[in-house]
Amino acid sequence: MTFPLKTILIDDESLAISRLRRLLDKHRDSIEIIGDAANGAEGLTLIESQQPDLIFLDIEMPLLNGFEMLSRLTTMPMVVFATAFDQYAIRAFEENSIDYLLKPIEADRLTRTILKIRTLVERTDGGQPISNPMSESVMRLLAQMQPKKEIYSISVKTGEKIKLVPLSDIAYFEAEDKYVFLATMDGQKFLTTYTLTTLNEKLPDTFVRISRSVMVNRQKITEVHRHFDGKFLLAMSDKKGTRLTSGSTYGDTVRQLLEL
């Protein structure tokens, strides 16, 4: 990585972009602006095509906000947030070693940011930047500051229709080969478009992964029996009275979640 750093500005406020361009013009030995974007969707496309070294990023933007955009990147540049977040969020940035600029951006504060970036890049080993703590911290911050969206149903396709199945009607999910099926309390099964990993991220804690291929709604469990090799046999309250076996490596999870 060499100076000036290829840099992209991403902000939905044109005046903010203009001001930042003007301030960065005094740091042309360090920064080369190669483009700007007015929202996260445009920013995502621009970053993937131009592969910048550094981005200045707003957080609250239309289409994709700053966090959503970062979560979709395949490669992570260095990130400086330009944000109007309150002091508590700013403290989170500081604790994660991510630099930030609080709007309206001041010239002196920007200068300190540029010096910090230069120090980071100039710490080289064999001509390559050591690590990029800002990039690593961005991913940690994404998990902390991007809360789960509360969902109430899962959409499944039935013929030409899209059916919404309430979470309260779902007994369990089961993976078969490359497909994941949703089983309802009345005994129906529907093919979903999700993987179990995705469902584990999306669904509330009511749903518990009990094996590599099964996730259950623990509110629909009626009985739990100890099985061999550290496994458990779970009896469900669905119409079919389904019995599901936990994986041998999921025994502790089942014990903990069911308080056994």
Side-chain angles (χ1 to χ4, degrees), residues 190-206:
F190 299 97
L191 177 65
T192 77
T193 57
Y194 300 107
T195 64
L196 286 182
T197 299
T198 301
L199 288 168
N200 197 45
E201 295 171 354
K202 290 173 66 71
L203 293 173
D205 294 340
T206 308

Side-chain angles (χ1 to χ4, degrees), residues 134-177:
M134 285 191 281
S135 296
E136 295 163 5
S137 296
V138 165
M139 302 314 295
R140 290 198 300 269
L141 191 62
L142 285 174
Q144 294 174 18
M145 301 193 68
Q146 192 165 244
K148 279 187 178 180
K149 293 180 179 178
E150 190 169 1
I151 62 173
Y152 302 95
S153 61
I154 295 290
S155 59
V156 295
K157 189 173 182 180
T158 58
E160 297 301 316
K161 298 179 181 180
I162 300 295
K163 178 181 177 67
L164 295 178
V165 182
L167 296 187
S168 58
D169 289 349
I170 300 172
Y172 62 94
F173 294 90
E174 185 169 22
E176 298 178 10
D177 296 324

